[in-house]
Amino acid sequence: MVGPFSTARLVLRPFALADLDDVWAYQRRPEVARFMSWSARDREQSRRSVEQMVREDGLRAEGDCLTLAVVRRDTGRVVGHVELVWRSRAHRRGELGYVLDPRHQGHRYATEAAVAMLRYGFETFGLHRIVARCATRNIASARLMERPGMRREAHFRECAFGKGEWRDEYVYALLRAEWTRNAHRRGG
């Protein structure tokens, strides 16, 4: 099991079944599901989601996903999650993902959580390259990826079909050498 990690305002920790109410509070919101592969969830769907995230507690084999609850230190409430998927052992690649309750956006909690997960991926787990993807219409997500120094490498046209339409996608990436070189920008 990996975590917890502490940042200035957050604790990133493995999920527990007791997190259901907080998770359902954001997974049921249409604006959260808008750019996801899933639609707004009912309580039972969120319960199954939490059960899955509880199992995603480490990177033991290629393909594993580490999903951590993003918890505000001041309230103790789960306000989202951040994940790292181990995409390739041979190429030391990972993929970053995140979801944040819109009621807590605008305070850079997602950036803080993403930086902590990038730090884990590069400095502890030893990845060489981490990518992140978002729908091109998800401007907030694209900006979030740029804050810790990720660069846009691709714009894939109509590469994903979901919810009855084709969507374009941006792919961002960061190399370990870039992460190390830009440590001063993050205060690390």
Side-chain angles (χ1 to χ4, degrees):
M1 184 181 310
V2 175
F5 306 127
S6 293
T7 69
R9 301 174 299 159
L10 305 171
V11 174
L12 306 181
R13 61 156 173 79
F15 271 94
L17 297 177
D19 296 325
L20 174 58
D21 289 340
D22 288 346
V23 172
W24 187 46
Y26 66 84
Q27 286 189 347
R28 67 182 172 199
R29 302 175 72 88
E31 65 269 33
V32 171
R34 178 177 177 208
F35 297 115
M36 306 304 289
S37 60
W38 40 269
S39 296
R41 292 181 167 157
D42 63 29
R43 189 173 176 81
E44 177 59 23
Q45 290 168 321
S46 285
R47 183 188 62 74
R48 289 193 303 267
S49 173
V50 169
E51 288 173 349
Q52 177 65 36
M53 291 188 291
V54 164
R55 292 189 295 271
E56 295 172 342
D57 65 352
L59 301 174
R60 296 169 192 87
E62 185 176 286
D64 281 355
C65 180
L66 169 63
T67 304
L68 299 175
V70 176
V71 181
R72 283 183 51 172
R73 284 174 167 237
D74 61 346
T75 65
R77 304 304 299 252
V78 175
V79 298
H81 65 267
V82 63
E83 64 185 30
L84 184 63
V85 181
W86 189 7
R87 292 290 182 203
S88 173
R89 176 187 300 269
H91 302 291
R92 297 185 0 233
R93 277 195 319 250
E95 182 171 344
L96 176 71
Y98 42 82
V99 176
L100 191 73
D101 186 323
R103 296 171 298 172
H104 300 274
Q105 291 176 356
H107 304 284
R108 302 235 169 144
Y109 295 130
T111 301
E112 200 170 316
V115 166
M117 193 62 95
L118 288 166
R119 180 173 288 115
Y120 171 77
F122 288 127
E123 297 175 13
T124 303
F125 194 67
L127 293 173
H128 170 71
R129 175 182 170 83
I130 298 175
V131 301
R133 298 174 294 131
C134 72
T136 57
R137 292 181 292 166
N138 192 346
I139 303 304
S141 188
R143 286 186 187 138
L144 186 153
M145 290 182 239
E146 293 168 355
R147 282 187 203 113
M150 296 185 95
R151 86 191 105 51
R152 186 183 307 166
E153 289 191 334
H155 176 170
F156 292 117
R157 304 273 323 223
E158 296 184 5
C159 65
F161 188 80
K163 300 180 184 176
E165 65 180 7
W166 288 101
R167 81 171 186 194
D168 289 6
E169 205 169 69
Y170 290 141
V171 175
Y172 283 78
L174 187 63
L175 299 174
R176 181 182 183 145
E178 295 166 325
W179 171 262
T180 302
R181 189 170 45 246
N182 293 323
H184 66 281
R185 287 180 44 202
R186 294 183 307 277

